[in-house]
Amino acid sequence: MSPIERDAQPADSERPIWRSAVAVVQTLRIAGHEAVFAGGCVRDQVLGDTPYDYDIATSATPDEVIALFERTVPVGAAFGVVRVLRGEHEFEVATFRTEGGYSDGRRPDSVQWASARDDVLRRDFTINGLLFDPLEGEGAVIDHVGGLEDLRAGVIRAIGEADERFEEDKLRLLRAVRFAARFAFSIEADTWTAICKRADEIIEVSVERIRDELERMGTQSAVEPGFRLLERSGLWRSVLPEVEPTDSLFDRMGSAERLSPVATWTLMCSELAPRDARGVCQRMKLSSATGRHVEEAVEILRALPTYDALDVVAKKRLIRRPEAHTALEIATLGSGAAAMDGLASAQRDERGWSREDLHPETLVTGAELIAAGRSPGPSFKRALEAVEDAQLRGEFLSRESALELALRHLDEP
Ligand code: ATP
Ligand code: MG
């Protein structure tokens, strides 16, 4: 069987990025090298999705690539990867290679330049092992590993011996789950068996890479399928030991799709104490801003059931917190959301209150209290808050009456 199939004419061949990518392939070919599109972009194209980047694989060595293009960045020249910049677009141009030995289970000890076919055989899954020749007539998919068939059947299958492929690079354990979730594909039996067998070995991968995979499971697709696979395979307890995979959490995940990164983490941590949620973010080396946001959002989420009992000032102070929106977004997920006390009114308030309702104009400042002869101290803050409370209650205050109110507060015993 010829590995070439002619059925993947991209729907978006008029896109400037496509034309730019084809031009890069052309330049390499005119210089006598092999060059094709490779990996995810071919997969996405066959699926009818618009690739957001085009990776190019070539027989040219990094030095040859650098010599052929005006603007290049040798991002991983030792591994054969050069970034080529062309107009506003950039492309990773990678030399066909095989990878020798994975003694740390994470990255290859060495690489060797190789044929296009060998370059495909080092890739992870058959659907990621497709090449595409954009200069061949209408464009042609080159399939050495049965990737087209698996794409059509909706199957994630390791290229080659599944167990060996996961042994060499443990990140593939999570990638398999993520791609299955993203495309709603099933995982082929041998591939699945190997994942389950090696699930505990995922901890050999850096926490940053685990973090990025987990985050993508929330941001790229429906959330539940990926996390179900994490649980069934045994990966969950290694990557998220702090979080119990409860029915209620899955129920919530079941209605979540393509969340923002911060909402993804808030969802994962939604059943934890706020401090523990922050702890997960810290362990995952998320930014401290993200960690704080998740902690606060989880705290607000937990406060929602008693929302209706709050007075208007407390409600406004809650709704105006920057994390309230994330908390409300996560609270609406799951079959129980409609019955959740406080949620409907908090949502109504969030929509109904304007910026000015939540952040009334400042009528008195500390400087004015000093000018009125009071000495600064912790009571200033409380006095100014009393003014803001009155405003949040909807009381109309002039600047004079606001100053009076603050001074009265300060002078009270
Ligand atoms: P995405 O749309 O998520 O970027 P992708 O398939 O482009 O999907 P990348 O991580 O960008 O994924 O990798 C590009 C290609 O490199 C993959 O399609 C695959 O062929 C190969 N690849 C990436 N990571 C690995 C890995 N850990 N092991 C083997 N091959 C890999
Ligand atoms: Mg990619």
Side-chain angles (χ1 to χ4, degrees):
M1 187 191 80
S2 152
I4 296 185
E5 278 212 25
R6 260 159 239 281
D7 74 338
Q9 172 65 357
D12 40 30
S13 59
E14 292 309 310
R15 285 199 309 157
I17 188 172
W18 160 270
R19 276 184 297 196
S20 203
V22 173
V24 172
V25 167
Q26 231 152 6
T27 302
L28 288 158
R29 296 272 277 271
I30 288 166
H33 305 290
E34 290 172 64
V36 286
F37 295 166
C41 63
V42 185
R43 174 199 67 216
D44 292 349
Q45 207 169 272
V46 174
L47 286 173
D49 298 343
T50 304
Y52 50 75
D53 52 22
Y54 290 88
D55 293 334
I56 293 157
T58 181
S59 59
T61 62
D63 286 343
E64 289 169 330
V65 174
I66 290 166
L68 270 173
F69 296 93
E70 235 164 75
R71 291 190 294 147
T72 57
V73 185
V75 275
F79 296 100
V81 185
V82 175
R83 184 171 299 143
V84 171
L85 301 106
R86 205 179 165 281
E88 67 208 57
H89 307 298
E90 48 181 68
F91 305 97
E92 298 219 324
V93 177
T95 306
F96 296 143
R97 62 184 192 265
T98 55
E99 298 177 336
Y102 280 75
S103 45
D104 64 355
R106 282 188 290 235
R107 67 184 86 75
D109 303 328
S110 65
V111 304
Q112 276 179 316
W113 307 151
S115 67
R117 185 168 177 280
D118 286 340
D119 184 73
V120 165
L121 297 180
R122 73 161 173 91
R123 294 171 185 267
D124 47 8
F125 307 111
T126 60
I127 64 163
N128 290 345
L130 297 170
L131 306 176
F132 182 84
D133 181 350
L135 307 183
E136 171 73 23
E138 296 276 83
V141 174
I142 304 158
D143 180 7
H144 294 287
V145 288
L148 278 173
E149 203 179 310
D150 284 339
L151 257 189
R152 294 204 187 94
V155 173
I156 305 294
R157 182 195 311 268
I159 293 174
E161 193 58 52
D163 191 55
E164 283 171 22
R165 303 311 310 285
F166 291 113
E167 185 181 17
E168 28 181 69
D169 179 359
K170 315 293 156 94
L171 184 69
R172 293 172 188 154
L173 297 162
L174 281 178
R175 284 174 61 89
V177 166
R178 170 165 67 87
F179 285 117
R182 172 164 160 200
F183 301 119
F185 281 12
S186 59
I187 300 179
E188 176 273 330
D190 287 346
T191 304
W192 178 248
T193 304
I195 294 171
C196 298
K197 173 182 156 194
R198 297 198 177 271
D200 294 347
E201 299 170 23
I202 190 61
I203 52 167
E204 293 169 32
V205 172
S206 76
V207 74
E208 289 91 340
R209 298 181 84 186
I210 292 175
R211 169 195 71 199
D212 292 348
E213 290 296 324
L214 289 179
E215 188 170 293
R216 288 186 191 128
M217 284 183 212
T219 58
Q220 285 188 335
S221 62
V223 178
E224 191 204 349
F227 284 85
R228 282 269 179 216
L229 290 171
L230 286 183
E231 199 227 349
R232 289 206 201 112
S233 61
L235 282 162
W236 185 307
R237 63 170 176 263
S238 297
V239 294
L240 270 181
E242 304 91 339
V243 178
E244 272 299 306
T246 59
D247 290 344
S248 51
L249 184 55
F250 277 125
D251 175 53
R252 189 164 252 166
M253 287 178 165
S255 44
E257 193 162 349
R258 289 176 189 267
L259 301 175
S260 66
V262 77
T264 299
W265 292 103
T266 303
L267 172 56
M268 281 187 238
C269 297
S270 57
E271 297 191 338
L272 298 178
R275 281 182 55 109
D276 295 340
R278 171 87 155 265
V280 170
C281 297
Q282 277 167 344
R283 183 178 64 77
M284 290 286 177
K285 300 195 181 165
L286 286 154
S287 73
S288 55
T290 302
R292 223 174 307 121
H293 190 113
V294 170
E295 177 178 12
E296 304 269 312
V298 168
E299 190 182 295
I300 295 168
L301 190 59
R302 296 186 137 217
L304 278 178
T306 55
Y307 183 80
D308 289 330
L310 301 175
D311 65 20
V312 68
V313 172
K315 283 178 175 169
K316 285 182 173 169
R317 288 193 183 280
L318 186 101
I319 293 293
R320 76 180 186 180
R321 285 165 67 176
E323 304 82 13
H325 189 76
T326 310
L328 287 175
E329 182 185 351
I330 299 307
T332 55
L333 300 172
S335 57
M340 181 175 165
D341 282 338
L343 176 58
S345 35
Q347 280 177 311
R348 194 174 347 98
D349 287 347
E350 196 206 19
R351 280 194 298 268
W353 280 328
S354 67
R355 253 204 91 71
E356 297 83 77
D357 289 335
L358 296 174
H359 300 273
E361 183 194 3
T362 305
L363 295 178
V364 200
T365 63
E368 287 168 293
L369 298 180
I370 294 171
R374 306 305 192 278
S375 33
S379 53
F380 266 38
K381 184 165 173 262
R382 286 194 295 275
L384 297 175
E385 260 172 19
V387 173
E388 197 187 44
D389 283 356
Q391 292 176 284
L392 291 173
R393 267 192 301 273
E395 287 171 29
F396 176 78
L397 293 176
S398 65
R399 288 186 182 274
E400 295 74 45
S401 54
L403 178 60
E404 252 168 55
L405 175 62
L407 292 176
R408 225 182 312 127
H409 253 268
L410 273 182
D411 298 341
E412 260 171 17

